[in-house]
Amino acid sequence: MTGPTGYTEFRQRLYRPRVPLLWWLRQRSYLVFVVRELSSVAVGWSVVFLLLAARSIMRGPDAYRQFLEWGARPWMVLINLIALAFVVFHAVTWFNLAPRAIVVNLRGRRLPAGVVAGVHFGAWVVASAIVAWLVVG
Amino acid sequence: MEPLLWLLFSGGGMAAALLIPILLVLFGLALPLGWLSPDHAHLHAVVTNPLTRLVLLGLSVLALFHAAHRLRYTIVDGLQLKRLAPASDAVCYGGALAGSAVAAYLLVFAY
Amino acid sequence: MIRDLVVEITDFMAKLPRITPWLVNDHEPPPDTEHLQTPLELGEYKQFSMCINCMLCYSACPVYGIEQDFLGPALIALAQRYNLDSRDEGAHERIEVLTAPEGVWACTFVGECSRACPKGVDPAGAIQRAKLAAATQSLKSFLLPWGTR
């Protein structure tokens, strides 16, 4: 119906403005969206980094010490700080958006969005506490 | 296909959001910078525990597919490179698959 | 939007029939009455019925600008309006269109559509709920193929 020429069966030229390449710079909300999407790079990096950490632990105390030294280098710390910022941004935006997708009715009443989000943030705190307790011992 | 990919993206997003921040704080900052110093024997015991292996594997696979899915759409929409689509999709998910294989090898078979 | 108060709705109108935008119900209500619905049931879809077809969401959506075939926020919200209506039994008719690549999956939850909407329809929310419903239905039919639905 709306073919490549833009003509429809109604025989008028369809108004479809071309989207500029830097469309995401035009509005603050678009930019925030793209930053949110780019947090996926930080997520990918984190998986790689954490697998390297796990590997170093499994290899033995020397390998682990080498990993810690590598991780302590200034540029590594910087990379991980930036990655952490992105990952936290991902988590916060994710939990705040969850109520839009997860709609729960309890006894005929809609569960408020704040409760759904709150449950997620609560789970975040609990999960973090458990992991920290496991690691630090 | 799409529903499955979206479920992986969704699960990955949740897992990554819940677990990666604290793990990155610990292994990216606290431990290398010496703020905390659990001894290696303890860490070894925790990491080699079958449940830990399972959780780490699940986290790795899900988070990788989450990232792949998001990157795929960022390339197609953000950079408007739809003409690359079949290839860029394959690279994204292929990368996630490869990473998952490495994670599985490391966490299940290697040690 | 072309200009203030001048709106291009051709594409919307062309795609509209695809989502079956009417109540699908083979059970005729008894004569002199109508399908009954409680206020609670009304509340399930009421928000999505407030759309005035102003097309502001289509202007705000970057995916719609880039992807020619994307159904778009208002259409998917409208489909949800019927899917969530207790009087409707046509969800299975809409599911194919909604779960096509140019349906809900093209949406990346930018959220600008809901921000732009003057009636508070929240099409972004409608789309995410549709994604979740479609994905869980897919999973269920995969895991339990002998189910009756």
Side-chain angles (χ1 to χ4, degrees):
Chain A
M1 279 197 191
T2 55
T5 59
Y7 282 91
T8 70
E9 64 186 44
F10 306 108
R11 298 179 52 85
Q12 70 199 79
R13 189 162 184 83
L14 198 63
Y15 175 71
R16 271 301 285 258
R18 181 153 297 160
V19 177
L21 196 61
L22 297 177
W23 62 267
W24 39 275
L25 283 177
R26 298 251 160 152
Q27 253 180 250
R28 192 192 118 97
S29 47
Y30 288 153
L31 185 60
V32 170
F33 162 70
V34 171
V35 167
R36 183 192 94 195
E37 297 298 288
L38 286 178
S39 72
S40 54
V41 176
V43 169
W45 159 252
S46 301
V47 172
V48 170
F49 181 77
L50 291 172
L51 285 176
L52 286 171
R55 186 177 80 138
S56 77
I57 294 173
M58 290 196 276
R59 275 182 159 179
D62 292 325
Y64 175 59
R65 200 179 338 108
Q66 274 179 339
F67 170 81
L68 287 182
E69 282 167 10
W70 176 63
R73 301 234 192 103
W75 51 273
M76 276 305 295
V77 174
L78 187 62
I79 287 175
N80 281 329
L81 268 172
I82 294 172
L84 181 64
F86 270 106
V87 172
V88 168
F89 185 64
H90 158 75
V92 170
T93 52
W94 190 269
F95 298 144
N96 280 328
L97 289 176
R100 309 273 286 277
I102 302 171
V103 168
V104 179
N105 285 332
L106 221 57
R107 285 182 287 215
R109 280 206 144 141
R110 177 71 51 91
L111 210 58
V115 172
V116 179
V119 166
H120 283 84
F121 279 103
W124 192 21
V125 171
V126 169
S128 301
I130 293 175
V131 170
W133 174 76
L134 277 173
V135 168
V136 175
Chain B
M1 199 45 173
E2 287 292 350
L4 172 67
L5 291 173
W6 186 83
L7 278 172
L8 288 173
F9 159 76
S10 223
M14 193 65 78
L18 288 173
L19 295 173
I20 292 187
I22 184 68
L23 284 169
L24 207 52
V25 164
L26 289 169
F27 288 97
L29 297 173
L31 266 53
L33 295 177
W35 304 342
L36 295 163
S37 307
D39 57 71
H40 173 264
H42 167 78
L43 288 172
H44 189 264
V46 174
V47 167
T48 50
N49 180 297
L51 195 57
T52 313
R53 292 180 193 245
L54 193 62
V55 169
L56 283 178
L57 181 61
L59 172 65
S60 301
V61 173
L62 286 173
L64 283 173
F65 273 92
H66 166 86
H69 191 87
R70 247 184 177 162
L71 275 171
R72 165 198 173 191
Y73 279 98
T74 306
I75 292 172
V76 169
D77 291 336
L79 299 173
Q80 296 190 55
L81 290 171
K82 193 184 176 192
R83 62 180 180 277
L84 289 184
S88 60
D89 292 357
V91 167
C92 289
Y93 293 119
L97 213 57
S100 302
V102 169
Y105 172 71
L106 177 68
L107 291 167
V108 177
F109 300 108
Y111 297 95
Chain C
M1 296 209 45
I2 302 174
R3 262 192 111 101
D4 203 23
L5 299 182
V6 179
V7 181
E8 170 68 76
I9 63 167
T10 318
D11 190 53
F12 175 83
M13 295 303 286
K15 290 173 179 165
L16 182 59
R18 289 161 57 184
I19 59 153
T20 320
W22 52 82
L23 279 177
V24 175
N25 196 316
D26 291 327
H27 306 107
E28 285 296 319
D32 299 335
T33 63
E34 64 285 340
H35 289 291
L36 294 180
Q37 187 171 70
T38 69
L40 224 60
E41 289 166 335
L42 172 66
E44 281 301 299
Y45 69 89
K46 182 168 182 193
Q47 187 184 10
F48 303 138
S49 70
M50 302 310 266
C51 175
I52 56 171
N53 300 354
C54 67
M55 302 290 109
L56 278 170
C57 54
Y58 282 81
S59 282
C61 176
V63 178
Y64 182 74
I66 296 165
E67 179 53 57
Q68 302 294 324
D69 296 326
F70 181 37
L71 278 183
L75 278 174
I76 302 179
L78 189 60
Q80 280 295 80
R81 175 256 176 276
Y82 287 103
N83 283 341
L84 296 172
D85 192 326
S86 56
R87 302 166 294 179
D88 177 85
E89 291 165 2
H92 59 278
E93 288 188 28
R94 302 187 188 97
I95 194 80
E96 280 235 21
V97 174
L98 287 180
T99 55
E102 67 269 13
V104 294
W105 307 120
C107 165
T108 55
F109 206 168
V110 179
E112 279 300 290
C113 53
S114 296
R115 240 170 49 104
C117 177
K119 302 297 288 178
V121 173
D122 190 16
I127 300 177
Q128 304 322 306
R129 288 173 66 180
K131 284 183 192 171
L132 190 56
T136 48
Q137 197 190 326
S138 245
L139 196 63
K140 270 191 209 163
S141 61
F142 175 75
L143 292 176
L144 308 163
W146 53 85
T148 45
R149 271 294 193 109

